[in-house]
Amino acid sequence: MRYSQSFIPTVKETPADAEVISHRLMLRAGMIRKVAAGIYSYLPIGLRAIRKVENIVREEMNRAGANELLMPMVTPAELWEESGRWAQYGPELLRIKDRKDNSFCLGPTHEEVVTDIVRREVRSYRQMPLNLYQIQTKFRDEIRPRFGLMRGREFIMKDAYSFDVDEKGADASYEKMYQAYRRIFARCGLKFRAVEADTGSIGGNWSHEFMVLADSGEDAIVSCNGCDYAANVEKAESKVIESAEHAEPRPLEKVHTPAKKSIEEVSEFLQIHATSTVKMLIVKADEKPVAVLLRGDHELNEIKLKKIIGCDELEMATDEMIASATGATVGFLGPIDQKIRIIADTTVKGMKNFVCGANEVDYHLKNVNLERDFTVSKYADIRNVTHGDQCPRCSGGILEMWRGIEVGHVFKLGLKYSKALNATFLDADGKEQTVFMGCYGIGIGRTVASCIEQNHDENGIIFPLPIAPYHCIISAINPKDEIVSKAAEELYAELLKLGVEVLYDDRDERPGFKFKDADLIGIPLRIVVGAKNLVDGKVELKQRRGGETELLTITDAVSRIDGIVKEALGI
Ligand code: 9G3
């Protein structure tokens, strides 16, 4: 592509409302433009990067034996009613009506549609295992779309669905996808981790997320430094440590702690460590108040707690609910003489002579002890693990914390959708059985965005070659000079012949201006063709990452570039 004919509207200024670097750089590099909140146009080089990721995904899915199809974006309400999700989802499911007043929604995912296809077409155990996938535009009416392609309302997703005759088959299909995903993200040049994850509202019993490591990531993940345990903090189990303290219970003591409400304030005032305090929180679980106890320095994990309570809705209680349920004020809450149900984190079980609120404004209690002073209805793992915690799987390993961006998610679904939609088959004995399912997603735009989060510098994007919009850019210095344009044209033609994707900057612009654009859009290889070096028959090759430069003859430059490109693409 000749730059003079291209459409790459780069911008110097930093866009005001873009909070993360990938969003800022995609706007500045002319990759995307906003059309409405969370809805974007992909401009030519943005689309090229998207297509690169799609093709890597497609190749690896096909290699894993999956079949590509394409389902509609507009899906009928009836299918969603069958699964129960028409009622389950709120406004995130964008509902529309046709002229005959029939209800539809814009597909946020396609479990229902694909299960409908399979229940009509798959009759026999001999038609499975089966894996169907598509790369398609989805719509979810997010409350707060942000970060550009990272959390759009309209987005491109690769979604795959596996169908098996039994659980063993489903496990094998899951493992195949897991391995395909590892290959996909490695080929994209990403630093990532596969972590155990919560299945969320979708249901099912097992899942892994593929997380791109980036400080700007919205997810907290942990990994063990001693074994391969890795999990989303939402799901990470904390190791149960048996009663560590053997101290004799001391007499209860009420202490004046004027205006000391937070754990930091109380522990500083009493000159104790936060690990010797217990905090009580009140949550609202399906409208009912429940007290929760945690060691002072620990954080509540609402996902774990929700599972333990088995409720549908869980949120922090309002001050009014706290007052009416406990008779006390936030900052001074304590478990003694409470009427409501108390659930305590397992860590609290081993604590002796701790400090907690006295249920009286400006007072705390010292030397509080379980059983002697109050009782707990249930102990459970309800806290977030933290950096430095012991690994729940191996002995001696320590958990390390990272931030990550979820780019892929694989789920073992089991029978949830096949049962609801009655997707059955006849087994080898002619008996009717329900299909076992798995589902597997990759956010295509998010993969490009997270790649930019991981690969950039102060001058712009540094694309890994496999997803770069072009492999190489030729910057002709003063292309009006015939010697220059002749050499540049020759180089351009030779590289194209070899299948190298070249952007030829033939614009009549100053070198600095061209270099700024080349750096901003992140093309991995840049060749400068200028009169000065052409005197010796040379051109300059510079790598965007690392910045090394080499002076090469045109012939050598062509073979060097061809070599770098083939190596990076693994061909
Ligand atoms: C909805 C709406 C939003 C949703 C869903 C349904 C998330 C929903 C989870 C999944 C799970 C997998 C196939 C590919 C891999 C991921 N947000 N999820 O089901 F109706 Cl409005 O999408 N689906």
Side-chain angles (χ1 to χ4, degrees):
M1 168 61 73
R2 286 169 199 274
Y3 211 128
S4 59
Q5 293 167 14
S6 72
F7 182 61
I8 311 175
T10 58
V11 261
K12 268 211 210 73
E13 300 74 31
T14 304
D17 59 345
E19 298 166 64
V20 295
I21 190 71
S22 58
H23 188 195
R24 288 198 289 272
L25 287 174
M26 288 176 98
L27 289 168
R28 287 191 52 209
M31 293 176 70
I32 57 167
R33 285 294 182 264
K34 181 165 141 178
V35 177
I39 300 177
Y40 291 84
S41 289
Y42 305 105
L43 303 190
I45 62 163
L47 183 62
R48 287 184 71 99
I50 293 272
R51 293 283 187 249
K52 291 285 173 83
V53 173
E54 288 180 356
N55 286 333
I56 290 172
V57 168
R58 192 172 273 122
E59 281 176 25
E60 295 302 332
M61 292 301 292
N62 294 347
R63 185 206 297 274
N67 302 267
E68 185 170 4
L69 49 52
L70 189 57
M71 292 177 274
M73 219 215 137
V74 175
T75 65
E78 290 73 23
L79 285 177
W80 293 82
E81 275 159 359
E82 273 193 77
S83 71
R85 296 211 287 182
W86 188 259
Q88 183 194 339
Y89 279 88
E92 194 185 352
L93 191 61
L94 185 61
R95 293 159 222 247
I96 47 177
K97 279 193 172 172
D98 70 5
R99 64 173 77 213
K100 293 184 183 154
D101 217 32
N102 294 320
S103 293
F104 295 84
C105 65
L106 295 188
T109 175
H110 282 72
E111 279 81 7
E112 284 80 356
V113 180
V114 79
T115 309
D116 179 54
I117 294 174
V118 167
R119 72 174 164 186
R120 290 164 191 273
E121 313 301 334
V122 174
R123 296 267 129 95
S124 154
Y125 70 98
R126 281 187 303 258
Q127 292 166 280
M128 287 175 281
L130 178 66
N131 187 317
L132 302 174
Y133 80 96
Q134 64 177 345
I135 297 174
Q136 200 235 29
T137 300
K138 303 275 191 268
F139 196 94
R140 294 179 184 171
D141 199 356
E142 293 264 351
I143 300 173
R144 258 195 88 196
R146 50 200 175 132
F147 308 151
L149 298 196
M150 207 75 96
R151 186 174 293 284
R153 294 195 294 168
E154 190 184 284
F155 58 99
I156 303 171
M157 177 156 108
K158 186 286 296 177
D159 46 326
Y161 306 87
S162 64
F163 302 89
D164 280 276
V165 297
D166 56 19
E167 181 150 22
K168 197 164 149 250
D171 288 347
S173 295
Y174 184 92
E175 176 65 18
K176 250 198 193 140
M177 284 296 106
Y178 181 92
Q179 296 304 344
Y181 275 37
R182 296 202 74 94
R183 292 181 60 95
I184 288 166
F185 296 119
R187 281 185 61 185
C188 290
L190 291 162
K191 288 187 273 296
F192 69 96
R193 282 235 169 31
V195 306
E196 291 180 16
D198 184 62
T199 50
S201 66
I202 179 166
N205 28 33
W206 193 248
S207 87
H208 284 91
E209 283 164 343
F210 287 77
M211 292 285 189
V212 167
L213 302 179
D215 292 336
S216 59
E218 289 191 277
D219 284 277
I221 58 179
V222 293
S223 64
C224 176
N225 66 4
C227 71
D228 55 18
Y229 181 70
N232 191 311
V233 164
E234 291 179 352
K235 154 109 185 176
E237 303 149 33
S238 62
K239 182 165 182 144
V240 179
I241 297 164
E242 288 306 319
S243 180
E245 291 180 52
H246 298 285
E248 281 304 309
R250 292 191 291 267
L252 257 189
E253 193 184 320
K254 188 159 135 186
V255 285
H256 192 216
T257 50
K260 306 297 176 201
K261 290 184 170 188
S262 69
I263 291 293
E264 293 77 43
E265 288 165 346
V266 173
S267 42
E268 197 198 305
F269 184 74
L270 297 177
Q271 290 290 296
I272 55 170
H273 201 266
T275 54
S276 307
T277 67
V278 166
K279 63 182 168 197
M280 185 164 97
L281 310 171
I282 309 296
V283 297
K284 183 168 123 187
D286 291 345
E287 303 306 318
K288 282 203 279 294
V290 176
V292 175
L293 294 184
L294 293 158
R295 197 172 80 183
D297 59 321
H298 285 160
E299 253 177 52
L300 174 65
N301 182 315
E302 292 189 27
I303 293 172
K304 291 181 184 177
L305 180 63
K306 201 170 160 198
K307 277 188 198 146
I308 295 291
I309 297 178
C311 58
D312 294 324
E313 306 271 346
L314 186 109
E315 56 186 304
M316 300 312 292
T318 57
D319 285 357
E320 296 86 74
M321 183 180 242
I322 294 172
S324 72
T326 68
T329 315
V330 175
F332 305 98
L333 298 179
I336 298 181
D337 294 332
Q338 288 297 351
K339 305 273 178 303
I340 55 173
R341 183 172 175 212
I342 301 177
I343 298 178
D345 181 64
T346 42
T347 317
V348 173
K349 199 172 184 177
M351 294 174 69
K352 299 268 154 54
N353 298 318
F354 49 83
V355 166
C356 60
N359 293 320
E360 189 180 332
V361 172
D362 290 348
Y363 285 94
H364 279 79
L365 293 170
K366 278 167 82 169
N367 302 328
V368 179
N369 284 280
L370 287 152
E371 302 306 324
R372 183 191 71 180
D373 302 323
F374 69 99
T375 55
V376 160
S377 349
K378 188 174 194 140
Y379 292 100
D381 173 13
I382 53 167
R383 71 174 176 96
N384 282 340
V385 297
T386 64
H387 190 92
D389 274 4
Q390 291 183 43
C391 176
R393 293 291 154 80
C394 73
S395 70
I398 295 294
L399 296 183
E400 297 175 331
M401 282 261 207
W402 311 83
R403 306 248 9 132
I405 302 163
E406 180 194 343
V407 287
H409 204 155
V410 295
F411 295 83
K412 239 183 94 173
L413 276 177
L415 303 173
K416 175 167 172 172
Y417 295 93
S418 45
K419 245 191 189 153
L421 276 80
N422 198 30
T424 59
F425 66 98
L426 296 180
D427 69 12
D429 303 323
K431 249 182 66 192
E432 187 165 314
Q433 306 267 15
T434 306
V435 172
F436 272 82
M437 286 176 64
C439 70
Y440 316 90
I442 291 178
I444 302 289
R446 200 187 266 196
T447 299
V448 173
S450 61
C451 184
I452 295 171
E453 289 290 324
Q454 230 175 37
N455 300 283
H456 64 86
D457 64 12
E458 63 283 1
N459 298 319
I461 302 168
I462 310 176
F463 272 117
L465 194 133
I467 75 163
Y470 290 94
H471 302 144
C472 153
I473 183 163
I474 299 171
S475 305
I477 309 286
N478 189 12
K480 281 193 171 146
D481 178 340
E482 229 168 88
I483 298 174
V484 170
S485 70
K486 198 168 153 278
E489 293 282 351
E490 184 190 334
L491 196 54
Y492 181 45
E494 289 301 316
L495 288 168
L496 288 181
K497 247 195 259 169
L498 292 166
V500 174
E501 297 174 14
V502 193
L503 183 59
Y504 169 26
D505 195 347
D506 58 344
R507 296 175 299 173
D508 187 18
E509 296 284 356
R510 295 168 40 77
F513 182 89
K514 294 185 170 192
F515 296 161
K516 272 211 165 69
D517 276 344
D519 281 352
L520 178 59
I521 65 180
I523 308 303
L525 303 168
R526 184 185 80 190
I527 315 151
V528 179
V529 180
K532 213 172 97 205
N533 284 323
L534 281 177
V535 171
D536 307 319
K538 300 275 175 78
V539 294
E540 183 198 78
L541 171 64
K542 184 174 181 189
Q543 306 221 15
R544 177 68 180 87
R545 190 192 305 278
E548 317 81 86
T549 60
E550 298 167 71
L551 277 180
L552 302 162
T553 62
I554 291 183
T555 320
D556 288 349
V558 169
S559 62
R560 175 96 175 101
I561 290 165
D562 186 44
I564 294 172
V565 169
K566 297 222 157 103
E567 189 186 332
L569 297 179
I571 51 177

